[in-house]
Amino acid sequence: MDIDFPLVLVVLTFATGLIWLADRLFLRKRRMAGVSASDSSQDSEAEAPKEPYLVDLSRSFFPVLAIVLVLRSFLVEPFQIPSGSMLPTLEVGDFILVNKYAYGLRLPVAGTKILEVDDPERGDVMVFRYPEDGQTNYIKRVVGLPGDHIRYRNKELFINGDKVDSRFVARLPPMELRRETLGETEHDLFLTLGRPGGSGEGEWTVPEGHYFVMGDNRDNSNDSRYWGTVPDELIVGKAFAIWMHWKSLTSLPSFDRVGSID
């Protein structure tokens, strides 16, 4: 069972905040009023009634939870890459940072945009929620913008009738390494040697408010070629850096791959 961490974080933040606020406004006054009238030093900290455990816990955790909520919801959120669909750009196990405000500020959990900033650009590496369930986080590269006509034939990509520049770099069996230029972004991609070019072929027109995305591991990516475009309301943010790579479950984390995502 997957845990909806953003929802849990929001609930905990509001719960601890409400308990702390209720104590400050009402409960503490009642405790103080209950101190013996014969005690002339009710406002002394030493003689003040002890805070209930839940209130003390909420007062301690609320500021921490609030800071984490703001940072994670509106600034930067960490993710880990679970699959090889973005090879060679992102390896399995890479920990990445995602800019949450690059495409506009959104309310946590609901995802409603409350402030326009910029729109995704062709070539961006974007995190979004999988359109078929609206919950699972996916990461792909933006290929098509609203209104674009996309065609993919024989492992060649065409946008609005123009062939996208893709240059051979090396043969790395079972892969062929190529360098592609999307807009102002140049990046590497993998094609599987010996695999027929019919996989994922087709033509699509990107609807308004939607984006066409593909993985850099072109023959091994579940992307817009198979399930359609990504609506704006499901966008999470723009991936911009790799801050750690976990080589395996039994090895220590390696910090030698920290850098930006081209």
Side-chain angles (χ1 to χ4, degrees):
M1 179 179 178
D2 293 332
I3 298 176
D4 190 340
F5 182 75
L7 178 60
V8 172
L9 181 60
V10 168
V11 170
L12 288 177
T13 302
F14 276 89
T16 54
L18 287 174
I19 292 172
W20 173 77
L21 183 62
D23 182 70
R24 293 282 295 183
L25 296 178
F26 308 109
L27 303 181
R28 187 173 185 274
K29 292 180 180 179
R30 292 182 181 179
R31 290 198 304 274
M32 295 300 294
V35 176
S36 174
S38 61
D39 188 347
S40 60
S41 57
Q42 291 183 7
D43 58 348
S44 169
E45 287 293 331
E47 298 180 13
K50 185 178 180 181
E51 286 184 340
Y53 174 74
L54 185 58
V55 171
D56 181 59
L57 194 68
S58 297
R59 179 172 55 81
S60 300
F61 276 94
F62 172 68
V64 177
L65 291 171
I67 291 172
V68 172
L69 178 63
V70 170
L71 290 176
R72 190 180 186 279
S73 300
F74 303 114
L75 298 177
V76 175
E77 183 176 359
F79 286 89
Q80 186 178 21
I81 303 301
S83 72
S85 69
M86 283 297 291
L87 286 168
T89 305
L90 297 171
E91 298 182 16
V92 178
D94 278 349
F95 287 84
I96 64 170
L97 295 177
V98 174
N99 184 329
K100 298 296 290 289
Y101 61 86
Y103 305 137
L105 293 181
R106 300 170 186 269
L107 292 175
V109 181
T112 304
K113 186 181 291 186
I114 56 176
L115 179 65
E116 295 283 348
V117 181
D118 286 324
D119 295 322
E121 297 181 357
R122 197 174 286 114
D124 287 356
V125 177
M126 185 173 75
V127 174
F128 55 92
R129 295 194 299 278
Y130 185 39
E132 295 198 351
D133 66 17
Q135 296 181 344
T136 308
N137 289 315
Y138 267 43
I139 182 167
K140 305 291 178 185
R141 191 175 296 276
V142 177
V143 171
L145 306 180
D148 280 349
H149 180 266
I150 307 297
R151 181 159 60 96
Y152 192 68
R153 286 281 187 276
N154 296 320
K155 303 192 179 184
E156 298 285 358
L157 177 63
F158 298 81
I159 300 177
N160 298 324
D162 297 325
K163 181 181 175 182
V164 173
D165 181 45
S166 178
R167 305 182 301 281
F168 173 82
V169 176
R171 291 175 67 88
L172 305 171
M175 298 294 186
E176 177 182 300
L177 178 64
R178 300 188 69 86
R179 187 153 297 152
E180 182 178 77
T181 302
L182 285 171
E184 298 181 356
T185 301
E186 187 175 75
H187 67 98
D188 292 337
L189 62 84
F190 274 156
L191 297 176
T192 303
L193 293 170
R195 180 172 294 182
S199 178
E201 288 191 341
E203 296 188 31
W204 306 265
T205 298
V206 185
E208 288 300 318
H210 287 65
Y211 297 88
F212 193 93
V213 297
M214 297 175 70
D216 290 347
N217 191 355
R218 287 286 161 80
D219 293 324
N220 299 280
S221 173
N222 181 26
D223 51 42
S224 288
R225 293 171 292 175
Y226 304 98
W227 41 255
T229 54
V230 178
D232 181 80
E233 59 267 23
L234 294 184
I235 293 175
V236 173
K238 178 182 179 180
F240 69 94
I242 304 167
W243 63 273
M244 186 175 72
H245 177 65
W246 199 280
K247 292 183 177 179
S248 72
L249 295 177
T250 58
S251 65
L252 293 176
S254 169
F255 294 88
D256 60 356
R257 296 194 66 257
V258 177
S260 63
I261 298 173
D262 297 325

